[in-house]
């Protein structure tokens, strides 16, 4: 009886600590620093938002500059802002980023000799697959020939079936 009461108290304490630990984890707020920029006009603000969504963070695998919380992304957002304030065109900003960080910084890489496979590879594979399917479908099935057994073969077959 004493063992059961002790076990119940022990389980109650363990459950209490588990619940309190999990609730303390869920109550934590993970806030990232928010950049605040002042723009001359609404068009520049829209250009900034479009550029930061189009450019990829060099550190993050699949996040754009607008969504990334990494320090390098914050620096690049500042760089984009400064270039916009200097009056640079969008293409100049993109060229600057590509020159500095390579084609990886673009979500949509440019069509060049290095990216032909990326751009045209899937279409070539689909075309090749369609050709293979067409050849297989159009291939005529092999007609079975009427096979005639000679007398000796028929006798062997009858003996085999009787066993």
């Amino acid at each position: 009886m004493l063992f059961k009461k002790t076990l119940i108290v022990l389980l109650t304490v363990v459950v209490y600590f588990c619940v309190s630990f999990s609730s303390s984890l869920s109550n934590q707020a993970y806030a990232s620093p928010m950049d605040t920029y002042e723009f001359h006009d609404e068009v520049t603000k829209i250009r900034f938002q479009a550029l930061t969504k189009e450019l990829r963070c060099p550190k993050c695998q699949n996040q754009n500059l607008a969504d990334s919380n990494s320090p390098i992304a914050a620096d690049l957002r500042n760089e984009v802002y400064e270039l916009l304030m200097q009056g640079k065109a969008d293409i100049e900003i993109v060229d600057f980023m590509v020159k500095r960080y390579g084609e990886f910084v673009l979500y949509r890489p440019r069509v060049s000799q290095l990216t032909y496979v990326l751009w045209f590879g899937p279409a070539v594979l689909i075309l090749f697959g369609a050709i293979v399917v067409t050849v297989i479908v159009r291939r005529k099935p092999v007609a079975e020939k009427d096979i005639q057994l000679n007398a000796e073969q028929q006798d062997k077959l009858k003996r085999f079936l009787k066993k």
Side-chain angles (χ1 to χ4, degrees), residues 8-141:
I8 290 172
V9 169
L10 182 62
L11 286 174
T12 306
V13 169
V14 168
V15 169
Y16 172 76
F17 281 118
C18 288
V19 169
S20 64
F21 180 71
S22 66
S23 67
S24 69
L25 286 179
S26 65
N27 288 336
Q28 292 179 352
Y30 295 100
S32 62
M34 184 167 212
D35 300 326
T36 54
Y37 299 105
E38 292 184 21
F39 298 98
H40 301 300
D41 54 7
E42 191 65 27
V43 174
T44 308
K45 180 179 179 180
I46 292 170
R47 286 178 54 208
F48 175 79
Q49 291 170 347
L51 283 169
T52 57
K53 287 184 181 178
E54 186 63 31
L55 296 171
R56 184 190 320 247
C57 173
K59 181 179 178 184
C60 307
Q61 287 295 320
N62 202 18
Q63 281 187 320
N64 56 28
L65 294 180
D67 295 336
S68 178
N69 292 330
S70 70
I72 186 91
D75 290 343
L76 291 179
R77 283 191 298 268
N78 289 333
E79 188 71 35
V80 169
Y81 175 76
E82 291 298 324
L83 291 171
L84 281 172
M85 292 299 109
Q86 292 173 10
K88 302 283 184 180
D90 291 357
I91 192 71
E92 291 175 314
I93 296 171
V94 170
D95 288 342
F96 173 79
M97 293 295 179
V98 168
K99 186 176 178 182
R100 194 168 186 187
Y101 297 102
E103 290 283 329
F104 177 78
V105 80
L106 298 175
Y107 265 121
R108 291 179 292 167
R110 299 173 178 157
V111 178
S112 69
Q113 290 179 347
L114 298 174
T115 60
Y116 282 155
V117 173
L118 177 67
W119 281 103
F120 304 115
V124 169
L125 287 176
I126 289 172
L127 181 65
F128 179 73
I131 291 170
V132 168
V133 168
T134 304
V135 167
I136 290 173
V137 168
R138 288 189 175 193
R139 182 181 291 172
K140 293 182 180 179

